[in-house]
Amino acid sequence: MILFFALAIVLVASAIVTIVQKSPVYSVVSLLVNFIALAAMYFTLNAEFIGVIQIVVYTGAILVLFVFVIALLSSGIGPFSEGPDRLPKILVPALVATLAAFGFLTYGLTRVPLGTLPAHVTTSTVGDVGKANVFGSVGDFGAALFTTHLLPFEVTAFILMVAVIGVVVLGSDATIAPTHGTHVPKKKSRERESIVKAAK
Amino acid sequence: MTVAHVLDLLNTVPWWLVVTVKAVIVLVIVQTVFAYSMLFERKIMAWMQLRPGPNRVGPWGLMQPAADAAKMLFKEDLTPKTADPIIYKLAPFISLICAMGAFAVIPFSESSAGIWGVADVNAGILVIFAITSIGVYGISLAGWASGSKFPLLGAVRSTAQMISYELAMTMSVIGVLILAGTTSLSGIVHAQAKVWYIIPQIFGFAIYIITAVAETNRAPFDLVEAETELVGGFHTEYSGLRFGLFFIAEYLNMITVACIATLLFLGGWNAPFGLTIVPGLIWFVLKAGLFIFMYIWLRTTLPRLRYDRLMNFGWKFLLPAATLNLMVTAAIVAVLG
């Protein structure tokens, strides 16, 4: 139990640091701590295989690529430059959307009897999830996901959705200053022309 | 006091104390092996190049590791102005901890009382791959945090190289796992009681050797620290004890890789030709030592590869070859098994 809370504190703290840190490399390092703590959490649940795979796949492969890209793109040590603050403009629509989503979730969840299994689902007791030999089984995992752990599951889905939209917003050309896209190529071609002329 | 008494006594000791004592013993032995494998390398290289090698400190230069350690300890620990201080200081520890962590699950021998090692984990080989895969962070963060161009180039090279070769390495090992039907390292050694897997898995073994040399950043794949072009690679800016930590990590990784090769392909502590008079631990050490000798041999013999050729070789030859080996092994096991 002490171990669980120690790991949980590390997990939450490193997750917060990942988001709050302005330097991308610090974010990655704290995400690394987060992944390893998560793997340790799996170990304490007797799910050694999931724990090891967590490290091999996420820590050993995916996060290394993060480090690689960050090292290549922003070899300078300073944090990324901040864009214009657009929070005031989108605050009201975002609040409305969040409240609406929250409302739908609450409505939906209150209509599902949490913690009870439909009669046709036969599994070991849901309370055993987390004990040896039960944790990994797909049936139990799915049953737990849609009954006792429905709320975390829905919230996770929602957070992933936010992340996807965030990537689209950050990655789209609209966030770059509009003059940027038009001026640079012209300048380049002009430079090229002048170089060509000079060569002639 | 007989062996049975000792075992009874051991059962009353709390498990965490047993594990801690075992871990300390293994680490002390491994550090000693590191120190002398360094001397071994310098001596062998010298003899291959017709030089005497280190011969001033102690008889036959046997105290040379101690002298080197003292030199490292008393050198000044510099941090460049452009470096990121926290990550710069953290990186060597990541490298070293990952290198030492792998020894937690390596079984060195076996007696009637059980496995000689800190822990015998069911997914042993997976745990080793998991721990060593974190080791890349030590190198890539060190290169980034140094805040200068040569370390950064070295780190970027190393990350690309280690990711590329890790794939082929894992693929080459799966063949053994299929034959043994287990991921437990002691289980794999037991499965080799009759035939060592170097015979049915000769291609897997060849691919494993090549990728292992690349994974540990040793010559001819030592582009990470290529002296002639990158000064010292990722550890250019490091000095004193922090450089020493990287140095230890590199050698420990070599020893780990040699131990894995011994366990997976060379029959672990199984005696060859029925020579069971010699204890299993000696066989294990001999086989791993042979592998380390091969490392040194390669270093003195082969020139460094060009970087693009290294990547081409990894992706276009080693990975397909390892995959083919895996598929053929799986097919044969499916037909015969």
Side-chain angles (χ1 to χ4, degrees), chain A residues 25-26 59 63-64 68 75 77, chain B residues 82 84 87 137 144 156 159 163:
Chain A
V25 171
Y26 280 36
T59 322
L63 204 59
V64 173
F68 188 66
S75 52
I77 281 176
Chain B
T82 48
D84 183 299
I87 295 184
Y137 290 100
W144 177 84
V156 167
T159 316
I163 293 175

Side-chain angles (χ1 to χ4, degrees), chain A residues 28-86:
Chain A
V28 166
V29 171
S30 111
L31 195 59
L32 174 68
V33 174
N34 188 295
F35 283 171
I36 293 172
L38 188 60
M41 188 77 103
Y42 287 135
F43 283 129
T44 61
L45 293 171
N46 283 324
E48 287 96 355
F49 187 74
I50 300 183
V52 169
I53 293 301
Q54 159 82 17
I55 293 185
V56 170
V57 173
Y58 285 96
T59 322
I62 295 179
L63 204 59
V64 173
L65 291 177
F66 282 24
V67 174
F68 188 66
V69 170
I70 289 170
L72 265 181
L73 293 187
S74 63
S75 52
I77 281 176
F80 280 139
S81 59
E82 283 177 49
D85 188 10
R86 283 173 297 145

Side-chain angles (χ1 to χ4, degrees), chain A residues 8 14 26 42 58 81 92 98 110 123-124 135 143 146-147 166 171 180 184 195:
Chain A
S14 60
Y26 280 36
Y42 287 135
Y58 285 96
S81 59
V92 173
T98 313
T110 47
T123 57
S124 48
F135 187 81
F146 285 105
T147 55
H180 197 70
V184 171
I195 291 168

Side-chain angles (χ1 to χ4, degrees), chain B residues 11-232:
Chain B
N11 284 334
T12 58
V13 181
W15 64 269
W16 52 266
L17 192 66
V18 176
V19 169
T20 313
V21 170
K22 274 180 172 178
V24 169
I25 292 173
V26 166
L27 281 184
V28 168
I29 293 175
V30 160
Q31 297 292 347
T32 317
V33 171
F34 145 70
Y36 279 94
S37 64
M38 192 177 70
L39 181 69
F40 182 62
E41 169 163 25
R42 290 173 68 177
K43 274 285 188 194
I44 300 281
M45 274 179 69
W47 289 334
M48 284 186 178
Q49 295 163 349
L50 305 177
R51 303 183 276 121
N55 61 354
R56 296 285 137 175
V57 195
W60 308 290
L62 277 178
M63 296 306 285
Q64 185 69 37
D68 283 346
K71 184 192 79 176
M72 289 282 182
L73 273 173
F74 290 112
K75 262 192 169 180
E76 191 184 351
D77 178 26
L78 292 167
T79 308
K81 246 182 200 170
T82 48
D84 183 299
I86 299 174
I87 295 184
Y88 182 81
K89 284 176 181 158
L90 185 72
F93 291 98
I94 299 181
S95 269
L96 187 64
I97 288 171
C98 294
M100 295 199 299
F103 287 95
V105 292
I106 292 180
F108 297 97
S109 185
E110 193 184 37
S111 64
S112 52
I115 296 291
W116 290 21
V118 180
D120 187 28
V121 191
N122 264 333
I125 185 71
L126 282 173
V127 172
I128 289 183
F129 279 138
I131 295 174
T132 49
S133 72
I134 304 176
V136 192
Y137 290 100
I139 292 177
S140 56
L141 289 177
W144 177 84
S146 294
S148 81
K149 57 191 168 191
F150 293 120
L152 184 72
L153 280 172
V156 167
R157 275 185 181 185
S158 109
T159 316
Q161 175 182 333
M162 286 172 97
I163 293 175
S164 312
Y165 279 72
E166 206 170 333
L167 278 171
M169 188 182 198
T170 317
M171 283 288 201
S172 71
V173 164
I174 296 177
V176 169
L177 301 187
I178 290 177
L179 283 181
T182 172
T183 52
S184 149
L185 287 167
S186 54
I188 292 170
V189 173
H190 288 152
Q192 296 178 81
K194 280 180 188 156
V195 181
W196 296 357
Y197 285 150
I198 185 172
I199 296 166
Q201 281 292 309
I202 182 75
F203 290 112
F205 183 61
I207 295 168
Y208 179 81
I209 289 181
I210 298 171
T211 51
V213 176
E215 276 290 294
T216 45
N217 296 322
R218 295 275 307 182
F221 300 112
D222 60 342
L223 288 129
V224 174
E225 42 197 86
E227 300 89 350
T228 41
E229 38 192 305
L230 290 183
V231 189

